[in-house]
Amino acid sequence: MIKAILIFNNHGKPRLIRFYQYFAEDMQQQIIRETFHLVSKRDDNVCNFLEGGSLIGGSDYKLIYRHYATLYFVFCVDSSESELGILDLIQKMYEKVCLSLQVFVETLDKCFENVCELDLIFHMDKVHYILQEVVMGGMVLETNMNEIVAQVELQNRMEKSEGGLSAAPARAVSAVKNMNLPEIPRNINIGDINIKVPSLSPF
Amino acid sequence: MPAVSKGDGMRGLAVFISDIRNCKSKEAEIKRINKELANIRSKFKGDKALDGYSKKKYVCKLLFIFLLGHDIDFGHMEAVNLLSSNKYTEKQIGYLFISVLVNSNSELIRLINNGIKNDLSSRNPTFMCLALHCIANVGSREMAEAFAGEIPRILVAGDTMDSVKQSAALCLLRLYKTSPDLVLMGEWTSRVVHLLNDQHMGVVTAAISLITCLSQKNPDEFKTCVSLAVSRLSRIVSSASTDLQDYTYYFVPAPWLSCKLLRLLQCYPPPEDGAVKGRLVECLETILNKAQEPPKSKKVQHSNAKNAILFEAIALIIHYDSEPNLLVRACNQLGQFLQHRETNLRYLALESMCTLASSEFSHEAVKTHIETVINALKTERDVSVRQRAADLLYAMCDRSNAKQIVAEMLSYLETADYSIREEMVLKVAILAEKYAVDYSWYVDTILNLIRIAGDYVSEEVWYRVIQIVINRDDVQGYAAKTVFEALQAPACHENMVKVGGYILGEFGNLIAGDPRSSPLVQFNLLHSKFHLCSVPTRALLLSAYIKFINLFPETKSTIQEVLRSDSQIRNSDVELQQRAVEYLKLSSIASTDVLATVLEEMPPFPERESSILAKLKKKKGPGAVSSTEQEDGKREGGELNGGGERGADSTIAASNASTPSPSADLLGLRSSGPVSAAPPSAGSLLVDVFSEAGPAAPAAAVNDDGFLSSAPPSVVSEDPAPPMPQSDELLHKFVCKSNGVLFENQLLQIGVKSEYRQNLGRMYLFYGNKTSVQFVSFSTSVTYTGELQSHIHELSLNVQTKPVEPLVEGGAQVQQVINIECLTDFSDAPLLNIKFRYGGALQNLTLKLPVTVNKFFQPTEMVSHDFFQRWKQLSQPQQEAQKIFKASHGMDKEVLKGKRIMENFVCAGVIQTKAQQVGCLLRLEPNAQAQMYRLTLRSSKDTVSKRLCDLLAEQF
């Protein structure tokens, strides 16, 4: 069983976390820190397996991880999973995430092999959905990436058809593009520039 | 800075995220987050109804804030609203929030369940999948209650879409794991098994996880999956690399599924059907053959996929442990991997070889790789791999190579990573003890260990060397000489001083003949270390000094002077001061005879499980100590310790109440100092090394007539009384007995009759009124103690009682029937509370109901070969529980029906519970000479082994 999937960057900042066993919030953060500590001190060309930290279950669990540029993808699994199998799964998932983020970010000149960290956090929900098609309740649901692509594309189509969300792409783009420039005031009042969408009846 | 994404909406979210990223300090970040939280909170609370888009945006923000490690305590209601929406995108984010943020105790579950119910009945496959995902990811009891009946129907229905079937299979698995009692199998068992034949590989992939889990719990009901799995595997293995299209990964057909199929087969013994077995062996051979073929692709993914299958195949071969030919091939294959350039493969090969080393067929073959493994230990760059190499060396060690392996591990220790040093030290200590042919080698090894890695030598290790030296006459002189030499090093570890102090104090006389180690030289050497040591070590040294006075009268004046010095007799540490005062007085008042008696050499230690082994077991989870080793260890541990049992330790323990320090027992004298206020746990006694229950007798003074004398009727409260002190004893009387008198006092007698079948039991209780006056308001109740309810919602026992008549006439007897259903294993007995009024006074007593887990045993017939094969399979340390104890009834009694094999008794049985069946194996080895037993229990569940061992040990 997969106990947790953790994605964090080279500084230990979590970028996506998913636990398939209940841990309290602060424990989740402690586990991330411990895992980062264990994984980050390892060279890049050593093996991809190591024993889990004490918080997540110690030597009964293995951390299987891959390091891509600025991101670590870590799966914490018990002894019932094949190490190499999970390693391949991480690779497949990564490729899938890259592929679909490319669709979202539309920067086609970008190197395929290098999913950028920002893309990941700006599309956290998308990455969650991809993950959801691969792993469910800690077990692997589907390994065929084409099937997963089909599922995600189906979702995208449904999203498009519902509209409303991509109402103001142009303004969104400019806002995002400028966001690292110092002139932009820190605390934009979000309420003022809210996109007007016909309001739905209250729930 | 990587390119900024364009995004597909939700500008507010993007702005917020970039704000956070621009925060220069943690404080600024927290401030920004709090501002945002306040904003969202006010939006949610505000009068203006939020549209779906805003809700979605805010929920996304909350998710991001949560990711950064901040508690989110609101927004759930909005998420529930979103998931009830008809828009896919809103529904999706709603479910996501709930799956990530809601724990299983949330009160919102009812609302969520409602949404899920609607989606499940919507016939829209995407919505159904979302709902199933949510159930699987939350997996709470409430959800299980609501949907455990529905999901199997979705799973096996003919018209369900494949993607929904996949989700339903894993959803059911999750519910089965959290609430096995709610997932009723039966009518759909065979249809689930047949999902292995499904055309859609994704369905098979999901279903196999479910089937594997169910098979582990109910192997018999799912037996048919073996032949289906073999034929599926055979079809995949023999297919061409293009046959399976999308499921072929870098020219390897369906690697993930193959691995899972091989895992499933590891739940079962080798197939009995010859044809099935032949087909499987063929598969395994094909997989081994393919490993030798040239790779179809240079990509690492290709070799990973291929080798993933190979490692699982090897694991299955090792699991079967019956095909010598395949085992040797597997071993050779792993041998090749040991030198592979891929670090991952070296790691996995070392790990697999560890299990291979415990098979009798391949142990020798594994040993041939010793040089490679030693080389790995020395040269691997990766600590994970080095650790596996150390594990393998430990597993492959036997008498023939012990010296080499121990030497290599010792030399590795000097440069080993700090994280694994302690474990390495334990392993070296265990191997040295286990395979010690001459004990001088053993002593050398341990002293080397202290020298090289003194900081990592735990107390257990140095206690153990002292135990062994004390128990072995032939090594004492050598030990004294060696520690004396070791202590001469300018800087030596404090643990060395401890061992040195203890051993010279006991056996210094054996080397005193040599002028280079004359008594005074020995004393001066020890005393030169004194000032560098911590208080417990100093205390130990003081005890060594008084022993010196007995051993060598000529040192008396020197030592008395030391004791008399202000730094001792006025030491600010009360323990040291007391020792100095007492020892000084003792040495000046007592006659030589008294001194010699009081300071006599320590008696041998009784045989117990090696404390180091116990520590390693505790430290390392499964696989650290393989079964054969454990047995060896104990056999040899026995001869090592000389099997003496003078029971000296109990008196020593008792004497230490006032001088709690590690060396108090060195003397074995009953010191009665005035400092009884010292905390009794301040020091760890040598006798405490033994991990099992301490020797101190339970102090509880049991009063014979139960509650009457202890509780005057007027103060008896209405609350159920705490269990009586003797209730445990009473419980133990009934472990192997089903009928008898459970309790008796002047008023009341309670008799028990009980019968058990599988996981059900019925118990008749007879309450007899011994007086001539009637009992009124007679009532009984059965409650559980805490442990039974330790898992929330998970009761271990289902106990139903029928009420009894409230009036019991004088001299009459009433009967009560109790039905018991065992749901899962348990260790505490339920409590039976009885209340009644006798002459107006309330009587309130609580007993333990004599229900113990062994009542649900069903004997199993087994030939000895099978027994030992299973015994070996249950080799993980936590699956075993062991006790060594003195026979309390003589040795002629055979309590359990078993087969006699050589000198020991074995039995096998299955504990029937509703949730699962736990196979148990028992081994009882009597030692007629010592009148001791060693009882070993192994079962697939650690709590069961432990509990049974505790229960049964009381019975002999």
Side-chain angles (χ1 to χ4, degrees):
Chain A
M1 180 190 168
I2 300 167
K3 206 172 184 182
I5 296 176
L6 311 174
I7 303 177
F8 43 73
N9 71 3
N10 288 348
H11 307 290
K13 279 258 179 216
R15 289 312 176 206
L16 184 131
I17 49 175
R18 199 69 204 258
F19 284 86
Y20 295 100
Q21 179 190 331
Y22 175 70
F23 286 102
E25 286 84 350
D26 53 339
M27 187 47 112
Q28 294 189 3
Q29 292 293 328
Q30 283 182 40
I31 288 173
I32 295 167
R33 276 197 291 278
E34 188 190 39
T35 310
F36 170 70
H37 180 73
L38 286 171
V39 169
S40 61
K41 64 180 181 198
R42 295 168 60 83
D43 289 346
D44 261 353
N45 45 3
V46 297
C47 79
N48 300 73
F49 321 122
L50 70 159
E51 278 180 9
S54 56
L55 297 177
I56 201 146
S59 53
D60 293 355
Y61 289 87
K62 274 215 173 77
L63 301 176
I64 300 174
Y65 74 99
R66 275 184 183 275
H67 188 196
Y68 299 101
T70 66
L71 290 172
Y72 285 96
F73 283 62
V74 186
F75 277 46
C76 174
V77 303
D78 68 8
S79 59
S80 73
E81 302 290 348
S82 151
E83 288 93 343
L84 289 173
I86 293 285
L87 204 58
D88 273 346
L89 194 72
I90 298 177
Q91 175 70 27
K92 281 191 227 177
M93 200 186 87
Y94 175 75
E95 286 171 11
K96 178 68 208 94
V97 168
C98 290
L99 202 71
S100 56
L101 286 184
Q102 261 181 350
V103 176
F104 299 133
V105 290
E106 290 176 20
T107 45
L108 291 170
D109 54 345
K110 202 193 302 175
C111 172
F112 167 76
E113 285 294 327
N114 194 359
V115 62
C116 111
E117 203 185 320
L118 270 186
D119 297 340
L120 200 115
I121 49 176
F122 283 122
H123 299 282
M124 198 171 53
D125 51 335
K126 306 281 184 237
V127 183
H128 265 297
Y129 301 144
I130 294 168
L131 199 62
Q132 205 152 287
E133 296 302 322
V134 182
V135 179
M136 173 168 165
M139 304 304 288
V140 173
L141 179 67
E142 178 60 83
T143 59
N144 174 4
M145 285 302 141
N146 295 338
E147 190 86 14
I148 292 167
V149 172
Q151 282 294 328
V152 174
E153 274 168 3
L154 181 71
Q155 292 169 9
N156 287 341
R157 273 204 304 281
M158 291 179 74
E159 194 168 309
K160 291 247 168 60
S161 69
E162 284 170 5
L165 294 171
S166 45
R171 274 203 290 167
V173 170
S174 65
V176 174
K177 280 215 169 129
N178 292 332
M179 70 191 171
N180 288 323
L181 300 176
E183 302 90 83
I184 296 282
R186 270 293 156 74
N187 303 322
I188 300 171
N189 189 342
I190 293 162
D192 292 345
I193 51 170
N194 215 341
I195 306 157
K196 291 281 175 280
V197 181
S199 35
L200 300 171
S201 58
F203 290 100
Chain B
M1 178 65 61
V4 169
S5 69
K6 178 184 143 194
D8 61 326
M10 294 211 280
R11 182 197 38 177
L13 177 68
V15 170
F16 172 61
I17 291 174
S18 59
D19 269 6
I20 294 288
R21 288 178 51 82
N22 285 336
C23 285
K24 293 281 183 293
S25 66
K26 190 80 194 159
E27 289 72 34
E29 183 186 309
I30 290 173
K31 211 174 142 199
R32 179 70 185 88
I33 284 172
N34 285 337
K35 183 172 173 244
E36 191 63 42
L37 284 174
N39 173 39
I40 299 172
R41 215 185 288 258
S42 72
K43 283 278 179 336
F44 280 165
K45 280 215 183 109
D47 302 329
K48 212 176 73 185
L50 291 174
D51 54 55
Y53 167 77
S54 313
K55 273 188 192 156
K56 184 180 159 187
K57 182 178 72 184
Y58 294 133
V59 166
C60 272
K61 281 184 183 175
L62 289 179
L63 276 176
F64 182 72
I65 294 172
F66 176 74
L67 177 73
L68 294 176
H70 298 266
D71 275 2
I72 301 294
D73 52 5
F74 67 102
H76 297 84
M77 194 44 95
E78 283 68 25
V80 172
N81 285 338
L82 282 172
L83 70 82
S84 322
S85 153
N86 281 328
K87 279 198 174 172
Y88 174 72
T89 44
E90 290 172 13
K91 194 181 271 306
Q92 197 181 27
I93 195 93
Y95 273 124
L96 179 62
F97 185 91
I98 295 296
S99 315
V100 173
L101 271 167
V102 171
N103 63 53
S104 37
N105 298 326
S106 170
E107 303 152 13
L108 287 158
I109 291 275
R110 206 176 44 82
L111 289 170
I112 298 166
N113 278 359
N114 226 358
I116 292 175
K117 200 167 283 169
N118 290 337
D119 284 334
L120 282 185
S121 52
S122 71
R123 318 292 299 161
N124 175 337
T126 326
F127 285 12
M128 286 173 88
C129 280
L130 281 178
L132 289 168
H133 271 115
C134 182
I135 303 174
N137 289 330
V138 177
S140 66
R141 178 87 187 170
E142 290 87 345
M143 285 194 174
E145 276 163 0
F147 303 110
E150 173 76 10
I151 289 160
R153 263 199 297 280
I154 298 176
L155 176 62
V156 298
D159 57 346
T160 308
M161 297 262 296
D162 287 333
S163 61
V164 178
K165 259 192 207 170
Q166 273 171 279
S167 304
L170 292 186
C171 186
L172 187 60
L173 169 58
R174 177 62 194 261
L175 294 186
Y176 182 76
K177 276 185 180 166
T178 44
S179 324
D181 53 315
L182 293 176
V183 179
L184 301 170
M185 285 171 302
E187 75 262 42
W188 47 266
T189 304
S190 79
R191 299 183 68 176
V192 168
V193 171
H194 277 88
L195 288 176
L196 284 178
N197 267 341
D198 201 283
Q199 286 188 329
H200 191 277
M201 296 282 268
V203 174
V204 189
T205 306
I208 195 157
S209 295
L210 173 67
I211 295 167
T212 306
C213 177
L214 292 170
S215 302
Q216 279 162 348
K217 300 275 169 61
N218 324 279
D220 288 340
E221 285 170 57
F222 285 85
K223 237 181 358 223
T224 45
C225 73
V226 173
S227 61
L228 289 175
V230 169
S231 62
R232 187 96 213 190
L233 180 69
S234 147
R235 266 179 285 154
I236 296 173
V237 168
S238 59
S239 69
S241 56
T242 50
D243 285 359
L244 299 169
Q245 292 167 355
D246 286 348
Y247 286 87
T248 297
Y249 185 67
Y250 287 90
F251 307 104
V252 182
W256 180 269
L257 185 55
S258 308
C259 289
K260 285 283 169 186
L261 285 165
L262 289 161
R263 279 279 161 138
L264 172 61
L265 292 171
Q266 286 174 49
C267 303
Y268 288 92
E272 281 152 18
D273 182 338
V276 177
K277 189 172 182 186
R279 209 164 167 196
L280 179 58
V281 169
E282 209 174 286
C283 282
L284 294 172
E285 278 170 347
T286 314
I287 294 170
L288 286 170
N289 291 339
K290 277 189 181 171
Q292 299 299 331
E293 289 169 10
K296 292 199 178 74
S297 155
K298 284 217 165 63
K299 283 271 199 181
V300 67
Q301 285 92 335
H302 171 70
S303 79
N304 272 356
K306 201 163 95 170
N307 293 326
I309 303 176
L310 181 60
F311 276 110
E312 288 307 328
I314 290 174
L316 183 63
I317 293 169
I318 297 171
H319 167 78
Y320 285 164
D321 198 12
S322 59
E323 303 278 332
N325 173 32
L326 287 176
L327 277 165
V328 171
R329 280 193 70 183
C331 186
N332 292 339
Q333 182 62 54
L334 292 177
Q336 284 182 19
F337 282 149
L338 284 182
Q339 286 164 321
H340 202 279
R341 62 191 165 75
E342 273 279 318
T343 318
N344 287 339
L345 293 183
R346 296 199 299 274
Y347 175 97
L348 293 173
L350 288 166
E351 193 179 53
S352 299
M353 264 206 182
C354 256
T355 44
L356 205 54
S358 54
S359 160
E360 54 176 320
F361 297 114
S362 51
H363 183 75
E364 287 304 313
V366 171
K367 272 168 63 186
T368 58
H369 298 288
I370 184 164
E371 295 302 334
T372 322
V373 182
I374 287 172
N375 197 36
L377 186 66
K378 284 179 177 162
T379 58
E380 280 290 351
R381 291 179 49 230
D382 185 353
V383 58
S384 308
V385 185
R386 289 201 296 271
Q387 194 168 357
R388 291 286 91 82
D391 285 349
L392 177 54
L393 281 181
Y394 179 73
M396 74 204 290
C397 190
D398 63 15
R399 208 169 280 284
S400 69
N401 55 18
K403 283 201 174 173
Q404 185 190 8
I405 286 179
V406 167
E408 292 295 345
M409 286 172 93
L410 267 178
S411 74
Y412 170 62
L413 203 51
E414 298 193 41
T415 53
D417 302 77
Y418 296 109
S419 54
I420 62 170
R421 281 198 183 184
E422 189 181 355
E423 194 192 317
M424 290 285 297
V425 166
L426 287 175
K427 285 185 168 165
V428 170
I430 290 168
L431 292 179
E433 179 184 335
K434 198 157 87 176
Y435 298 116
V437 187
D438 71 275
Y439 284 87
S440 50
W441 174 72
Y442 170 74
V443 170
D444 281 343
T445 306
I446 301 294
L447 293 184
N448 264 331
L449 207 54
I450 296 176
R451 200 164 28 225
I452 294 169
D455 284 341
Y456 299 91
V457 172
S458 53
E459 293 190 322
E460 285 84 353
V461 173
W462 75 262
Y463 288 172
R464 189 71 186 155
V465 69
I466 285 174
Q467 287 169 16
I468 285 169
V469 169
I470 298 236
N471 286 6
R472 307 279 316 183
D473 297 343
D474 50 342
V475 76
Q476 289 160 355
Y478 181 80
K481 182 166 156 285
T482 331
V483 287
F484 178 76
E485 281 162 8
L487 283 175
Q488 281 170 328
C492 66
H493 195 272
E494 190 163 336
N495 279 336
M496 187 69 90
V497 180
K498 287 179 184 164
V499 176
Y502 202 115
I503 288 183
L504 291 181
E506 292 290 329
F507 309 113
N509 55 332
L510 299 176
I511 56 166
D514 190 325
R516 283 168 300 173
S517 54
S518 71
L520 221 49
V521 175
Q522 285 185 38
F523 170 74
N524 285 333
L525 182 62
L526 280 180
H527 198 56
S528 69
K529 315 282 181 199
F530 187 90
H531 304 282
L532 303 169
C533 293
S534 63
V535 169
T537 311
R538 288 187 191 191
L540 184 147
L541 285 177
L542 286 180
S543 299
Y545 295 169
I546 186 77
K547 286 234 158 187
F548 266 44
I549 293 184
N550 176 44
L551 288 179
F552 318 114
E554 66 266 36
T555 60
K556 184 167 170 177
S557 59
T558 320
I559 292 175
Q560 281 183 333
E561 211 164 291
V562 168
L563 292 175
R564 205 177 288 124
S565 72
D566 279 357
S567 61
Q568 306 300 348
I569 210 157
R570 299 205 174 142
N571 195 300
S572 59
D573 185 274
V574 75
E575 174 67 35
L576 291 180
Q577 192 188 81
Q578 188 193 355
R579 284 192 189 214
V581 172
E582 286 179 3
Y583 294 164
L584 185 61
K585 264 289 177 261
L586 183 69
S587 65
S588 37
I589 300 172
S591 69
T592 334
D593 286 351
V594 171
L595 216 53
T597 319
V598 172
L599 302 172
E600 202 186 0
E601 195 179 298
M602 289 294 288
F605 288 87
E607 184 202 340
R608 299 278 176 87
E609 180 188 16
S610 162
S611 52
I612 318 178
L613 206 58
K615 166 133 183 169
L616 185 68
K617 271 197 261 177
K618 206 158 56 183
K619 201 175 144 44
K620 287 289 285 182
V625 186
S626 76
S627 60
T628 46
E629 287 167 346
Q630 279 187 10
E631 282 158 48
D632 285 351
K634 274 157 209 151
R635 217 175 300 132
E636 275 143 32
E639 102 201 10
L640 248 173
N641 285 326
E645 23 86 43
R646 289 192 217 164
D649 52 347
S650 60
T651 54
I652 296 167
S655 76
N656 280 317
S658 67
T659 49
S661 83
S663 49
D665 51 337
L666 189 69
L667 291 159
L669 56 87
R670 204 171 275 274
S671 62
S672 51
V675 284
S676 52
S681 59
S684 40
L685 306 167
L686 205 46
V687 287
D688 284 349
V689 179
F690 307 113
S691 54
E692 297 298 333
V702 179
N703 52 344
D704 284 330
D705 47 356
F707 63 97
L708 266 187
S709 54
S710 60
S714 54
V715 294
V716 175
S717 84
E718 285 282 350
D719 296 330
M724 302 197 304
Q726 67 268 50
S727 59
D728 267 326
E729 232 175 271
L730 295 169
L731 182 69
H732 282 303
K733 256 179 29 191
F734 281 87
V735 168
C736 291
K737 206 162 91 163
S738 44
N739 305 326
V741 176
L742 177 64
F743 173 77
E744 187 162 17
N745 64 18
Q746 294 141 338
L747 305 177
L748 179 72
Q749 184 193 48
I750 306 176
V752 174
K753 253 174 111 168
S754 56
E755 48 184 314
Y756 293 89
R757 190 166 301 131
Q758 298 202 325
N759 69 329
L760 300 174
R762 175 166 295 164
M763 186 179 284
Y764 301 91
L765 291 175
F766 302 90
Y767 303 97
N769 184 344
K770 286 167 71 179
T771 66
S772 52
V773 186
Q774 61 173 210
F775 295 161
V776 292
S777 330
F778 190 89
S779 73
T780 65
S781 64
V782 177
T783 50
Y784 308 104
T785 46
E787 213 182 312
L788 281 169
Q789 281 177 311
S790 61
H791 312 289
I792 312 163
H793 308 306
E794 259 183 56
L795 287 178
S796 308
L797 282 179
N798 183 3
V799 182
Q800 293 171 337
T801 49
K802 302 205 168 125
V804 281
E805 287 292 312
L807 257 174
V808 185
E809 293 295 340
Q813 194 182 51
V814 293
Q815 181 189 331
Q816 182 179 29
V817 186
I818 299 180
N819 288 322
I820 302 153
E821 183 187 19
C822 179
L823 301 175
T824 63
D825 70 283
F826 60 96
S827 52
D828 268 10
L831 295 180
L832 171 69
N833 177 256
I834 301 151
K835 273 188 262 189
F836 59 92
R837 285 186 184 272
Y838 166 66
L842 175 67
Q843 307 290 347
N844 182 352
L845 69 154
T846 303
L847 294 165
K848 289 197 173 170
L849 211 56
V851 184
T852 47
V853 71
N854 62 309
K855 301 281 185 193
F856 303 98
F857 243 129
Q858 283 217 311
T860 317
E861 286 280 309
M862 224 182 249
V863 295
S864 64
H865 172 78
D866 282 352
F867 180 88
F868 281 104
Q869 188 160 351
R870 298 212 183 171
W871 182 264
K872 253 195 258 165
Q873 282 167 10
L874 294 170
S875 62
Q876 297 184 351
Q878 73 270 42
Q879 293 175 333
E880 184 183 89
Q882 189 175 64
K883 273 198 174 174
I884 296 165
F885 50 89
K886 213 162 155 44
S888 47
H889 304 298
M891 281 259 174
D892 52 344
K893 210 161 129 190
E894 213 182 301
V895 181
L896 290 152
K897 224 169 90 182
K899 270 193 166 64
R900 199 184 155 89
I901 298 176
M902 315 274 276
E903 279 312 303
N904 55 67
F905 302 92
V906 299
C907 18
V910 177
I911 299 260
Q912 304 271 353
T913 74
K914 193 177 173 207
Q916 66 186 113
Q917 303 185 327
V918 183
C920 304
L921 301 175
L922 173 151
R923 200 164 165 184
L924 179 70
E925 294 149 282
N927 180 341
Q929 259 179 342
Q931 290 282 302
M932 304 269 280
Y933 286 110
R934 177 159 74 206
L935 174 70
T936 314
L937 258 298
R938 287 190 180 180
S939 77
S940 47
K941 215 169 165 193
D942 50 350
T943 48
V944 173
S945 311
K946 175 93 186 55
R947 182 61 185 156
L948 279 176
C949 190
D950 290 346
L951 282 174
L952 296 176
E954 300 288 333
Q955 303 302 318
F956 296 97

